[in-house]
Amino acid sequence: MKKLSISVSPLYIVLAAVLVLPPFLDPYWVDLFNNIGLYATLAISLNIIVGHTGLFNLGHAAFYAIGAYTAAIINTHYHIPMLPMIPLSGIAAGLFAFVVMRPIIHLRGDYLCIVTIGIGEIVRIALINNIFGITGGANGIFGISRPEIFGYVIRTPHQFFYLIWAFLLITIVVFKRLEHSRVGRALNCVRDDEIAAQSSGINVASYKLTAFVIGAIWAGMTGNIFASKMTIISPESFSFWESVIMFAIVILGGAGSIEGVIVGSLLIIGLPEIFRGLSTSRMLVFGLAMIVMMILRPRGLIPPKLRRYNLNGLIKQDASS
C-alpha cells in the first residue's frame, strides 16, 4: 500500500499566515501589508525579465506609471470605474514596452541597464512636464475614484488588503504556470546561454521582447490598483528609487524564484517600517545587511530550484541548487 505524501510549499504557508492577520491588526499595519503585496506583485513582474531571462531592467517603474496614469486619466475625465480598466492599464503598459524596447532589445548587460534607466527617467520627466496637458504636471492627478465590486466601494486598508493579496495570488498562479510553460523554458535558455539558445532555434530577440512586454503588462495592471488605492498619483510615486526597490527585492530574494521574491518583499518593505524609530541609521543597517547577504548568499535568500526535463518536456526531477 502506497503511503500518502503531502508536500506544502513554504510559499503557501507564508501566504496563509499573512491572510489570517488583518482582523488582529490596526489599519497602519494592514496598510503596510498592502504595500508589501503591491511591491511583491511588481517584483514578480520584474522577475520574469531579470530572473528568468537574465536581462537588466532598472526602469520598471516606467511601465508601472503608464498603467497608473492610463487608468487615472480615463477615470477622472470619463468617470469609467477603475477595476474594469485593469486590463486596459496592462495593455497600455505592454504596448509602451513593445514600442520602446523593440529597437534596443539587442543590447546586453550594462548597456541595456543604462537604457532602461533612461526610459524610466524620460517617462517621469514627461509626466512632470504635463505631456499633452493631461498628466497634471508635478502635482499629478487628483480625485481618482475608489474601486467598486458590484456596487460595494473598497475604502479601508482592510478591504484593500483582500483586493491586493487576491491579485498577488492570481499573479503567483499565472507566473508559476508561465515558469513551467514552453515560453518559460525558452526564457531560461536565453538566460543560461544565449548562443546555445539561438543555435537550437529559439528566436532570442523575440523572447527577450516577450519577457519585457509580459512584465510591463503586469506592472501596468498593478499601477491601476495603486492609483485606486491612493486616489492621487504624481511623478514622485514612480521615481528611479521605485525601480531600485523592485530590483533589490528580486536580487535579495533570489532571481528567478517567486518564493524568494515574496520573502524579499516582506524584508525590504516590512523591516524598514518596523525600524522607523531608528530613522537616522536604518538605511545604513539595511545597506550593510544587503552587503553581508550578497557575500554569504550571492544567489539570494531562496534561490530557484534547478529542474531537469526529459524529452517530452515533463519535469523529471527537482533539485535544490
Side-chain angles (χ1 to χ4, degrees):
M1 183 178 179
K2 294 183 178 178
K3 292 183 178 179
L4 180 61
S5 62
I6 300 175
S7 61
V8 180
S9 168
L11 170 64
Y12 297 110
I13 296 175
V14 172
L15 290 176
V18 171
L19 289 175
V20 300
L21 286 177
F24 307 102
L25 298 176
D26 61 36
Y28 171 81
W29 292 106
V30 174
D31 197 49
L32 175 59
F33 275 103
N34 290 343
N35 291 334
I36 292 172
L38 282 174
Y39 276 101
T41 308
L42 287 168
I44 290 174
S45 69
L46 178 62
N47 190 40
I48 194 71
I49 302 169
V50 176
H52 289 285
T53 318
L55 303 173
F56 288 113
N57 178 14
L58 278 173
H60 205 56
F63 310 132
Y64 183 36
I66 294 294
Y69 267 86
T70 298
I73 291 168
I74 296 175
N75 175 259
T76 53
H77 283 78
Y78 303 102
H79 306 292
I80 297 177
M82 291 295 286
L83 280 185
M85 284 195 293
I86 286 180
L88 180 61
S89 297
I91 291 171
L95 284 175
F96 177 76
F98 180 81
V99 170
V100 299
M101 296 307 301
R102 189 175 183 185
I104 59 170
I105 201 63
H106 61 282
L107 296 177
R108 299 180 183 179
D110 300 343
Y111 300 102
L112 181 62
C113 184
I114 292 170
V115 171
T116 56
I117 292 173
I119 291 172
E121 285 301 290
I122 288 171
V123 169
R124 188 181 66 83
I125 293 171
L127 295 175
I128 291 174
N129 289 329
N130 197 14
I131 186 171
F132 304 129
I134 56 176
T135 64
N139 294 325
I141 299 177
F142 298 81
I144 303 168
S145 65
R146 300 282 191 185
E148 293 182 27
I149 299 178
F150 301 116
Y152 182 77
V153 181
I154 300 174
R155 297 180 185 279
T156 67
H158 287 76
Q159 293 166 341
F160 267 104
F161 175 87
Y162 293 103
L163 173 65
I164 291 170
W165 283 77
F167 187 65
L168 173 60
L169 186 61
I170 294 171
T171 303
I172 292 171
V173 172
V174 170
F175 279 81
K176 278 284 186 185
R177 296 286 297 176
L178 180 64
E179 187 178 304
H180 298 296
S181 69
R182 182 175 180 178
V183 173
R185 294 196 296 272
L187 295 178
N188 289 341
C189 289
V190 172
R191 175 197 61 194
D192 294 337
D193 193 326
E194 194 171 317
I195 296 176
Q198 195 162 17
S199 301
S200 61
I202 294 174
N203 188 330
V204 172
S206 176
Y207 276 101
K208 284 182 177 179
L209 189 58
T210 299
F212 265 100
V213 171
I214 292 173
I217 288 173
W218 224 267
M221 292 194 292
T222 309
N224 179 302
I225 296 176
F226 170 76
S228 64
K229 174 177 176 289
M230 302 303 293
T231 68
I232 171 176
I233 56 173
S234 67
E236 291 181 359
S237 304
F238 310 100
S239 64
F240 172 65
W241 179 242
E242 295 298 313
S243 297
V244 172
I245 292 175
M246 298 174 211
F247 193 84
I249 290 172
V250 173
I251 299 302
L252 174 70
S257 165
I258 291 178
E259 291 84 354
V261 169
I262 301 296
V263 174
S265 302
L266 287 169
L267 294 177
I268 289 187
I269 306 302
L271 285 185
E273 287 298 323
I274 293 173
F275 294 105
R276 181 170 286 276
L278 305 174
S279 59
T280 56
S281 58
R282 61 176 180 149
M283 295 309 295
L284 175 63
V285 174
F286 177 71
L288 290 174
M290 286 283 289
I291 294 172
V292 171
M293 192 283 303
M294 293 302 291
I295 293 173
L296 298 179
R297 294 184 69 84
R299 295 195 64 204
L301 293 174
I302 306 177
K305 293 180 178 179
L306 295 178
R307 292 183 171 83
R308 300 169 187 268
Y309 295 89
N310 61 24
L311 292 177
N312 295 322
L314 300 175
I315 297 175
K316 185 177 181 181
Q317 180 182 350
D318 284 2
S320 299
S321 57

